[in-house]
Amino acid sequence: MGTSASATSQAAPFAPTHQADHQGNGMAEHRRFLQSVNIRNSKAKSIITNKVAPVVITKNCREEFQIHDKIQSANYSMGRISDLLPEHYLVLGEFFMVQDVYNRADVLNTTKSHGSPNFRKVKGNYPLFGMGQPSLSGFKQVLQRLQIDGCEEVIFICLREEPVVFFRSDGDFIPYTPRGRENLHENLHDLDRELSAEQIELSIRKELCDFAKLSENMFYVYNDIEHFKDEPQQVQILSEEDIHVTEEVYKRPLFSQPLHRLPLPMEGAPLEETFDAFVNILRETPNLSLMRDSSRPLPALLFSCQVGVGRTNLGLILGALVFHRLQGASKNPRHEIQKSEHKLDFQVIQLLISRLPKGQQVLDEVDDAVAMCSEMHNIKNAVYENKLKLEGIGEDYQIQGSSTKGYFLQRTLQSLERYVYLLIFNAYLHDQYPQAFPQNFSQWLCMNAWIYRLLASMDSSELSAPASLITDGIRVLVSSEFLATDLLSTAKEMKVANFRRVSKMALYGMAQPNSEALAVVMSYLTDQRRGHSTILWLNLQEELVLEANGQMFTPREPGCLEQPIPVCVQHPQQLQEMELALKQDVLRCEKWLEVITEQDKQMRMFKTCHTIEELFVHQKSIHPGLSYQRIPMSDCCAPKEEVFDHLLEAMKSSLAENPKCAFIFNCHNGKDRTTAAMVIATLTLWHINGFPECEEDEIVSVPDAKYTKGEFEVVMQVVRVLPDGHRVKREVDVALDVVSETMTPMHYHLREIIISTYRQIKMAKSEADAQWLRLRSLQYLERYIYLILFNCYLHLEKKDSWRRSFSQWMYQVAARAGVYAILNHLGFSEFENPDDSPMARLRFRWLPHSVQSIPMRGQLI
């Protein structure tokens, strides 16, 4: 005899706070304890009090319970919606429980007839059904309806990512969700990435039981958050049986039928692992296999979210694409489906379809599926309508602290992303369904990482025309002197900042020169001492640049002068065309324009204006051996695979004409992009002309020297994959040291900057600054890895004179070796879990970013 058991629920793992202390002594208090833990007095023979906990002995003397009730010392938060409403306990420390679905949300008026709001079957012959959130009785009614309609097998998929709990009410269980005081109409999202929605629901239920025990078995909930008439309502909670979680509501009626929870985001495309989870459902369902017994009917797929519109619509489209693969689109003839009249004429869609196998078929099938499932929502129409609203906004005025234009830009991008990911997933189904999914969606995308590169171009520049960049007053012209600090003190002699040369090589780098500096540099390179008769000048800037009144300027956002304005172009010639348009815009403007120079803000009237290409055309007339190319490269990150291709091809062509050709590179300040290109050029010339003797690694005794030497775990993981990887890395390190030998005053080294930037995170003044530094350190780390990969490519493809491009080699060879899979979990695993930051993923890291667009730790975009 003498079983000791805890009779109370522990606090949820969200650590809420509450200052009130509930204490009591004596037999009356212990009897209240007994009532709170549902041990009826009819079972208790005696209650023995002691300093530890009350002991209950049952009347038959066969059982003894010691009550360890920790509720009295638990710290819970209390709060109220307004001063006119009562104070009560808050779920998860800060949230109110609000009725989940309102009557007016049932647009199709199906709650009474079918048991669920907005219950519907898609157009055509597929057994696809969607609905909003039902109660327990409503869900049973839905299942009965499907059974009457002849559905032998039902696969139910709950698409909600937010926690939902169900309170007992009049023989039913009604859904409620926790919501914040500031927005009682909106459910919670991304509460805790470490815990699933199911785990959070269980924590909420335990808290609710604790609150009820502290409040005479009652808890407050809200049904009317519009007028708060007769609010809040009291619900009685005697035990956990008075509260259901989602799994209990859905699994008990189904019991032997499949139940799945597939959390989908309210906006934008799902994460890759969400698609993986959906693929696992297909793998685990024999009747959804291509090897299925065709004599059996297809299983019914039933999707549900809160009101049965947005997320349910996305789930239905996924189901339609699956049935397309199982039975073919012939089961739903295209002429019977009313398609959207809107054509999505976006560059990212056109490029994606042109490169995907069976691209047009992939597009047609997605459009068919969208049309089939469009009774309550049409994804294509959403993209089109958001874009129309974006284009119709004349002024960037503010609403609730954020710009209207920014709001509709984000909505357009999110709806476009959702549609594009449907195209990608359908292409995946085409490739993997016949093979029974040997790769999940995440793995397949890493093997086709060019898709991530394509998605990175799906930014604001495609949606907002840059025609009037300056005269519209939205942007200002920033001078090169402001952007390029002359750390090497070369402006006095060479008229350009940070001019330098790689020792013993015809490789030069500098900031962006104006016409005067360009003439000085060309005279320097072609004088009797150096005598370069052939020169290839490579401009690496991807932003727009102009010379006005003899000074170099670039347009920037007033609030973010250090950040280039992203310009989405597929060919450098488009940059020249945009710069010509900008030039004409400036010259036509008959008013003073605001500019930012090294000193301060000024107002200027420009009489002369030239594009960069015009400056080089003039110099070529003086120096016929000069060639000029624009190879746009993004700042502070790994060059795209195509950038390596363009640089290598440009150098090969020039060296074929003259083996002694000199190469000169520039970006806006002569640091980041210029240094990276000079390293690429150094490695290329070494492969052509022979490597210098590499000395043994010097012994470095400074703390964490291996990180200064680039020996991060993820780098060494790549090195182990590559043939002769250690030598390949060592050659890159030598090239980095050679190129940065004259850069000591700039304190800039492509390898050493990785760890120095990461260490600055701890000293960041704000969380936003910390996340910006984290992104930068990851981009620097990725760039270092790309240089190692490029050197490996130069070694392996040299025998064929590099006929296969670096891009092809990366997608055809390196991808199969798992390189992109490694880059998709990029991070400093020595110090933290890489998956804690979205920037560890290719999907998010490769997007254009500003300081304001970086997500916080653990937050998803």
Side-chain angles (χ1 to χ4, degrees), residues 45 107 233 246 257 265 341 365 382 384 441 454 456 478 487 542 560 564 581 611 646 663 678 705 733 751 805:
K45 178 182 180 182
V107 177
Q233 304 284 325
T246 299
Q257 297 283 358
E341 297 179 359
E365 289 174 352
Y384 182 79
F441 184 68
L454 201 59
V478 182
L487 297 174
E542 65 174 355
C560 195
T611 66
H646 297 327
F663 300 93
M678 292 172 75
D733 289 335
R751 184 183 64 246
S805 69

Side-chain angles (χ1 to χ4, degrees), residues 521-534:
V521 171
M522 287 304 301
S523 297
Y524 174 85
L525 295 175
T526 57
D527 65 11
Q528 188 174 2
R529 180 178 177 183
R530 276 150 290 271
H532 295 304
S533 59
T534 305

Side-chain angles (χ1 to χ4, degrees), residues 782-810:
E782 184 176 41
R783 178 174 59 189
Y784 180 51
I785 292 174
Y786 260 80
L787 291 173
I788 295 172
L789 291 168
F790 180 67
N791 192 34
C792 181
Y793 157 79
L794 291 175
H795 275 288
L796 297 179
E797 297 292 314
K798 184 176 182 179
K799 61 182 181 298
D800 294 325
S801 301
W802 304 299
R803 280 196 291 269
R804 175 160 55 181
S805 69
F806 179 66
S807 299
Q808 293 171 328
W809 181 84
M810 284 290 290

Side-chain angles (χ1 to χ4, degrees), residues 507-714:
L507 288 178
Y508 301 85
M510 67 180 74
Q512 176 63 59
N514 59 12
S515 54
E516 180 188 8
L518 183 55
V520 170
V521 171
M522 287 304 301
S523 297
Y524 174 85
L525 295 175
T526 57
D527 65 11
Q528 188 174 2
R529 180 178 177 183
R530 276 150 290 271
H532 295 304
S533 59
T534 305
I535 299 170
L536 175 61
W537 194 301
L538 296 165
N539 185 342
L540 307 169
Q541 296 201 77
E542 65 174 355
E543 58 268 33
L544 304 182
V545 186
L546 285 179
E547 183 189 63
N549 288 3
Q551 194 172 5
M552 304 306 299
F553 290 95
T554 183
R556 296 285 171 103
E557 301 285 354
C560 195
L561 298 179
E562 299 293 333
Q563 187 73 17
I565 298 172
V567 180
C568 182
V569 296
Q570 295 300 317
H571 194 277
Q573 185 60 33
Q574 293 175 269
L575 279 175
Q576 167 65 6
E577 294 170 358
M578 295 173 71
E579 286 174 346
L580 279 171
L582 179 58
K583 167 190 171 179
Q584 295 166 2
D585 193 22
V586 171
L587 291 177
R588 280 197 304 263
C589 179
E590 297 180 356
K591 64 179 182 179
W592 295 84
L593 295 176
E594 181 182 357
V595 300
I596 297 177
T597 65
E598 191 176 8
Q599 292 79 26
D600 51 17
K601 292 183 180 180
Q602 300 178 4
M603 300 300 293
R604 291 190 184 178
M605 181 81 76
F606 293 113
K607 297 181 179 179
T608 64
C609 194
H610 301 94
T611 66
I612 298 179
E613 188 162 329
E614 289 172 343
L615 301 183
F616 280 93
V617 168
H618 175 69
Q619 280 299 316
K620 186 172 177 61
S621 66
I622 303 172
H623 303 281
L626 173 65
S627 298
Y628 169 78
Q629 287 191 35
R630 186 83 167 260
I631 302 181
M633 183 187 296
S634 298
D635 205 15
C636 298
C637 58
K640 299 175 184 177
E641 291 82 355
E642 290 76 11
V643 171
F644 286 95
D645 296 340
H646 297 327
L647 288 172
L648 178 59
E649 189 58 36
M651 292 187 67
K652 284 169 58 180
S653 299
S654 297
L655 291 171
E657 294 181 9
N658 185 349
K660 295 185 179 180
C661 177
F663 300 93
I664 187 162
F665 304 88
N666 82 272
C667 60
H668 73 288
N669 61 6
K671 288 175 59 178
D672 185 273
R673 290 172 283 186
T674 295
T675 306
M678 292 172 75
V679 173
I680 294 170
T682 298
L683 291 169
T684 302
L685 290 175
W686 283 353
H687 277 274
I688 294 173
N689 300 327
F691 278 78
E693 292 185 8
C694 294
E695 299 179 0
E696 293 295 326
D697 290 347
E698 59 178 318
I699 299 175
V700 184
S701 59
V702 298
D704 294 332
K706 67 177 184 177
Y707 302 131
T708 303
K709 293 162 63 178
E711 295 176 359
F712 299 95
E713 289 182 9
V714 67

Side-chain angles (χ1 to χ4, degrees), residues 360-521:
Q360 189 58 49
Q361 182 181 349
V362 166
L363 176 67
D364 290 340
E365 289 174 352
V366 169
D367 286 349
D368 285 346
V370 169
M372 288 170 55
C373 308
S374 62
E375 181 176 359
M376 296 204 68
H377 181 71
N378 188 298
I379 288 178
K380 291 184 67 177
N381 290 350
V383 180
Y384 182 79
E385 291 164 4
N386 282 321
K387 188 171 187 292
L388 279 183
K389 292 175 183 177
L390 177 64
E391 293 171 345
I393 297 173
E395 296 182 2
D396 201 20
Y397 57 89
Q398 301 286 317
I399 288 183
Q400 296 181 349
S402 62
S403 72
T404 306
K405 184 173 289 186
Y407 170 78
F408 282 111
L409 174 60
Q410 183 183 30
R411 292 296 299 269
T412 305
L413 287 171
Q414 287 174 332
S415 53
L416 177 59
E417 181 193 46
R418 179 170 285 195
Y419 177 77
V420 169
Y421 259 84
L422 287 172
L423 298 175
I424 297 169
F425 185 69
N426 194 31
Y428 164 79
L429 292 178
H430 270 270
D431 183 57
Q432 293 288 303
Y433 219 142
Q435 307 174 62
F437 305 107
Q439 294 177 327
N440 61 31
F441 184 68
S442 300
Q443 294 168 332
W444 182 84
L445 257 183
C446 282
M447 293 292 292
N448 294 273
W450 61 268
I451 294 177
Y452 283 124
R453 287 293 186 199
L454 201 59
L455 293 175
S457 67
M458 188 178 64
D459 62 4
S460 59
S461 60
E462 188 179 357
L463 300 176
S464 52
S468 182
L469 284 168
I470 302 302
T471 57
D472 58 7
I474 297 176
R475 299 178 176 91
V476 297
L477 288 173
V478 182
S479 71
S480 293
E481 288 82 356
F482 178 85
L483 298 172
T485 304
D486 185 21
L487 297 174
L488 293 183
S489 301
T490 62
K492 184 176 181 180
E493 179 182 358
M494 302 299 298
K495 306 302 180 183
V496 66
N498 303 320
F499 179 87
R500 65 195 190 278
R501 176 194 176 192
V502 177
S503 178
K504 301 178 182 179
M505 301 180 73
L507 288 178
Y508 301 85
M510 67 180 74
Q512 176 63 59
N514 59 12
S515 54
E516 180 188 8
L518 183 55
V520 170
V521 171

